[in-house]
Amino acid sequence: MHERRDTLVIVCFCVALAWAFFAWLIAPDYYKHLYPSVGVHQSLSLGVSLVLLAALVYYLKIQDKLPDRLGPLTAGHYLEQDGLCFMPLVRVREDGQGHLLAEISLYYQNRYSNECEAVIHLRPVQQAFYSHKGARDVHFAFRCLGGEFGVVHQPVAVPAEFEGEGVEVLVGAAVRYPKTHGSVLRSRRGEPCGTFHVDWEKAYRQSRHELGGEIELKNPAKIHLAMPERVAHSLTRSEFVVETLDAPEVKRAVG
């Protein structure tokens, strides 16, 4: 992402080292008649070399390889489970027929360089929204590439009595990296999030078990979501869509 900048700093550092080598090891013997000009070159070359060395250490070892894309969307508040940061937000969009439809937009970003598999579970304390008729919970299962930033779009129905209300939602997540985590691309961590048992062999086969409130959430995080007004009150069935925002043309229908 910063290859040109890093290359430029490396080149400048090499030039500064050559300058310092000349000023300290060659100039004192062959250019004594230029003193104190030699002393000025020694001081400047050493100072510039140290500054560029500090910049290299920061850029290559300390600075994040990728920006925190999730923070600005969530006012710096988001959850994390084992390297995958995320936060559900409520959005409103048209359903293609001129009607307004509420949507849970689950924004996420992977802090590591390797791909992970994620299962995220939302349970409103009251049945303030649902994604399928007769369902209580909203359940997401998707794969996330290394460093990926994206959003899961899940249409939901909001019963009339909850329009304009703030509701408490319990959140749990399970994440695994089939290989290893890889290198850290983003250093900032999210707030701890509860978890639950996942059968990874069946993780992508959504069933009534995932939607009916049967999953036991362990130490779930609690968040509050504001329900919109004048949106659909019923929904027979809807599928979620995963969109990779760093490559908007890539969309995967899941569920």
Side-chain angles (χ1 to χ4, degrees), residues 11-226:
V11 170
C12 290
F13 180 62
C14 292
V15 172
L17 285 180
W19 181 20
F21 178 83
F22 174 82
W24 285 88
L25 299 180
I26 297 179
D29 293 331
Y30 296 96
Y31 298 92
K32 294 180 181 179
H33 60 285
L34 295 179
Y35 195 85
S37 177
V38 171
V40 173
H41 278 274
Q42 288 177 335
S43 299
L44 286 177
S45 62
L46 181 60
V48 171
S49 297
L50 291 176
V51 169
L52 290 173
L53 177 61
L56 274 178
V57 171
Y58 176 76
Y59 289 145
L60 299 181
K61 298 295 183 181
I62 300 176
Q63 186 186 44
D64 287 352
K65 302 298 186 295
L66 293 176
D68 178 8
R69 300 282 301 278
L70 190 56
L73 283 173
T74 62
H77 172 65
Y78 50 78
L79 304 173
E80 178 182 349
Q81 183 63 254
D82 194 23
L84 184 74
C85 300
F86 63 93
M87 193 66 185
L89 302 175
V90 179
R91 306 296 193 204
V92 176
R93 64 176 176 83
E94 289 192 2
D95 63 359
Q97 299 179 350
H99 303 113
L100 295 180
L101 185 65
E103 176 181 276
I104 299 295
S105 297
L106 182 78
Y107 289 90
Y108 64 87
Q109 66 184 11
N110 189 349
R111 294 202 304 112
Y112 292 96
S113 60
N114 283 346
E115 181 182 39
C116 69
E117 298 176 341
V119 182
I120 298 174
H121 199 84
L122 308 183
R123 176 173 294 162
V125 174
Q126 297 170 296
Q127 198 168 356
F129 58 86
Y130 60 89
S131 59
H132 296 68
K133 186 177 180 179
R136 174 185 173 182
D137 299 349
V138 176
H139 190 82
F140 305 94
F142 59 96
R143 293 179 176 86
C144 177
L145 300 176
E148 182 178 338
F149 168 67
V151 58
V152 184
H153 303 282
Q154 173 63 72
V156 294
V158 179
E161 61 268 29
F162 291 103
E163 284 190 347
E165 298 292 326
V167 299
E168 185 177 273
V169 181
L170 303 181
V171 184
V175 175
R176 75 164 182 172
Y177 288 77
K179 298 179 181 178
T180 61
H181 288 74
S183 58
V184 178
L185 302 178
R186 297 180 174 98
S187 60
R188 183 180 177 184
R189 297 176 179 272
E191 298 178 15
C193 176
T195 189
F196 51 92
H197 173 72
V198 172
D199 182 349
W200 290 104
E201 297 298 324
K202 302 177 181 178
Y204 301 98
R205 304 173 191 172
Q206 196 174 77
S207 66
R208 291 182 180 180
H209 172 69
E210 282 81 15
L211 303 176
E214 300 175 23
I215 291 178
E216 179 184 358
L217 301 179
K218 302 175 182 177
N219 302 315
K222 294 181 181 180
I223 63 172
H224 290 83
L225 297 177

